[in-house]
Amino acid sequence: MATIFSKIVAGEIPCHKIAENGAFFAFLDIHPIAEGHTLVIPKQEVDYLFDLDDETLAGMMAFARKVACAMQAAIPCKRIGLTVIGLEVPHAHIHLIPIQKESDMFFGNPKLKPAPEELAATAAKIRKHFAEYPAKT
């Protein structure tokens, strides 16, 4: 059975998409712990990040770096934190979170409750910067 993330990639469930390419997809978390909290996933449905083959994992991290650069240009923050927890959805994913301090990464913090219009505006701000960051070689 397809995961909720696979349904998002297929367009069966709406999302606030940040970017995608042939192998990866990035979209805003609808229950963010910070403005701009983004999920990066492989389009391939694999349960656990470290079950991905080396090439896919490396490609996902390169894609995530480009998303993170766009996020940092769009959202005032000191850094973009990265975490892999992913127990709630059996589809490999990483969380990219704009942070001012380490405690901003704590998932026990109260979740934000942005309106759909706020999420759309945040996604648009990040997308605007995505094309500015070519892949590094």
Short mmCIF file of all heavy atoms in Angstrom, two decimals, residues 6 40 106 108 117 129:
data_model
loop_
_atom_site.label_atom_id
_atom_site.label_comp_id
_atom_site.label_asym_id
_atom_site.label_seq_id
_atom_site.Cartn_x
_atom_site.Cartn_y
_atom_site.Cartn_z
N SER A 6 4.00 8.88 -0.77
CA SER A 6 3.87 8.46 -2.16
C SER A 6 2.62 9.07 -2.79
O SER A 6 2.62 9.44 -3.97
CB SER A 6 3.80 6.93 -2.26
OG SER A 6 5.04 6.37 -1.90
N VAL A 40 12.11 16.23 2.96
CA VAL A 40 12.73 15.81 1.71
C VAL A 40 12.63 14.29 1.66
O VAL A 40 13.03 13.61 2.61
CB VAL A 40 14.20 16.26 1.63
CG1 VAL A 40 14.87 15.72 0.37
CG2 VAL A 40 14.30 17.78 1.68
N PHE A 106 13.85 20.46 18.78
CA PHE A 106 13.17 19.52 19.67
C PHE A 106 11.72 19.30 19.21
O PHE A 106 10.92 20.24 19.20
CB PHE A 106 13.21 20.04 21.12
CG PHE A 106 12.52 19.15 22.11
CD1 PHE A 106 12.87 17.82 22.25
CD2 PHE A 106 11.51 19.66 22.91
CE1 PHE A 106 12.23 17.01 23.16
CE2 PHE A 106 10.86 18.86 23.83
CZ PHE A 106 11.23 17.52 23.96
N GLY A 108 9.41 17.90 20.67
CA GLY A 108 8.45 18.03 21.76
C GLY A 108 7.95 19.46 21.91
O GLY A 108 7.00 19.71 22.66
N GLU A 117 -2.90 29.51 3.82
CA GLU A 117 -2.35 30.66 3.09
C GLU A 117 -0.93 30.97 3.55
O GLU A 117 -0.08 31.39 2.75
CB GLU A 117 -3.21 31.91 3.31
CG GLU A 117 -4.68 31.76 2.95
CD GLU A 117 -5.51 31.05 4.03
OE1 GLU A 117 -5.28 31.25 5.24
OE2 GLU A 117 -6.38 30.27 3.64
N HIS A 129 13.86 31.04 -4.29
CA HIS A 129 15.32 30.96 -4.16
C HIS A 129 15.91 29.65 -4.66
O HIS A 129 17.12 29.56 -4.85
CB HIS A 129 15.71 31.16 -2.69
CG HIS A 129 15.44 32.55 -2.20
ND1 HIS A 129 16.24 33.63 -2.51
CD2 HIS A 129 14.43 33.04 -1.45
CE1 HIS A 129 15.76 34.72 -1.95
NE2 HIS A 129 14.65 34.39 -1.30
#
